[in-house]
Amino acid sequence: MKYDDAPEGASPTEHHAGLSQSMFVPLDLEVDFEAFYLGHHEVFHAYAEVHFGNRETAEEVIHEVFLEIHAGWSQLLSAGNLEQGAWAIVRRIVHNRLDAEGRGPAFVINGPIAQALDTALVTARDKLQKMESTSGLYEAIAELPDRQFEVIVLRYVLGYPTAKVAWYIGIDDRTVGHHLRRAKERLRLKLGLPETPKKSKHKGVGA
């Protein structure tokens, strides 16, 4: 079985606004794979689009991603880490395409991320705004280890809540938080930003 282009005038069995009219889920998909597709194609597409900067390329790449996921579906299920295995495929195909085109992610090239990471990363918001260019931040994000990169992109670039990030990549909320803290500390050191003062747990006498 493979994904095919929809015949002229045909309606896809399931269609999402992020996918073109020429891509659809055939009727003969395994039920569990179709459920996975419907639950993940939105975030996979968003992840690809923020890297390539346009919908058409993102659609092509994620179409290829799901072909590969389906081809190895039994192995991914038996491995017991379906989400992490699928994300490894997404990441590899996206990065291979970027390498083939000889460029970095669009969110690095086109900047800026709409929302600063948060005050835990930059102690003064205007410190980031006064930088001559924010490209250093985006390049630093692109250099993060894979899992840290994924949670930063999903949480802060795409804006998904922590619980949704955890569900998408198959880890719990606390582990997402751990990766976010590690990533933000790595970014802080990379960018030479000051350490955020820790809040005192106890107020002084008379405070």
Side-chain angles (χ1 to χ4, degrees):
M1 191 282 300
K2 66 177 183 177
Y3 289 85
D4 298 309
D5 288 341
E8 186 176 354
S11 298
T13 59
E14 187 70 37
H15 179 67
H16 185 272
L19 296 178
S20 71
Q21 293 290 340
S22 64
M23 294 180 184
F24 69 105
V25 184
L27 289 172
D28 60 347
L29 284 174
E30 301 92 328
V31 173
D32 51 2
F33 177 80
E34 185 169 3
F36 180 84
Y37 171 86
L38 295 175
H40 290 77
H41 75 277
E42 178 184 356
V43 67
F44 287 176
H45 182 276
Y47 181 90
E49 189 164 351
V50 80
H51 279 74
F52 295 105
N54 69 83
R55 177 175 294 182
E56 183 178 359
T57 304
E59 289 173 353
E60 293 174 3
V61 169
I62 298 308
H63 184 66
E64 181 181 349
V65 164
F66 277 108
L67 284 173
E68 184 165 330
I69 290 174
H70 185 265
W73 185 245
S74 296
Q75 292 88 341
L76 287 168
L77 287 177
S78 62
N81 55 352
L82 175 59
E83 288 81 7
Q84 294 179 46
W87 271 106
I89 293 172
V90 174
R91 186 170 58 246
R92 171 170 50 77
I93 291 179
V94 165
H95 291 180
N96 285 351
R97 178 68 173 261
L98 288 173
D99 288 344
E101 295 180 358
R103 66 183 182 91
F107 74 84
V108 173
I109 298 170
N110 300 331
I113 295 174
Q115 181 178 349
L117 294 181
D118 64 12
T119 53
L121 174 60
V122 284
T123 56
R125 186 179 180 84
D126 63 348
K127 180 176 179 64
L128 185 59
Q129 295 173 337
K130 289 177 182 177
M131 293 172 66
E132 179 179 353
S133 170
T134 54
S135 62
L137 170 61
Y138 313 125
E139 290 167 358
I141 292 173
E143 294 171 1
L144 288 170
D146 291 340
R147 185 44 51 86
Q148 292 177 23
F149 176 82
E150 286 169 0
V151 297
I152 285 289
V153 170
L154 293 174
R155 179 69 183 89
Y156 293 114
V157 181
L158 295 175
Y160 290 113
T162 298
K164 202 165 187 178
V165 174
W167 184 79
Y168 277 138
I169 61 179
I171 56 181
D172 59 37
D173 291 14
R174 293 180 62 184
T175 305
V176 170
H178 169 75
H179 288 305
L180 287 173
R181 289 191 297 274
R182 293 289 298 274
K184 288 188 286 187
E185 178 62 11
R186 184 182 290 262
L187 291 173
R188 184 188 70 79
L189 294 172
K190 178 77 173 180
L191 297 171
L193 297 172
E195 186 174 3
T196 304
K198 294 182 179 180
K199 295 181 180 179
S200 175
K201 294 183 180 180
H202 303 285
K203 293 183 178 180
V205 176

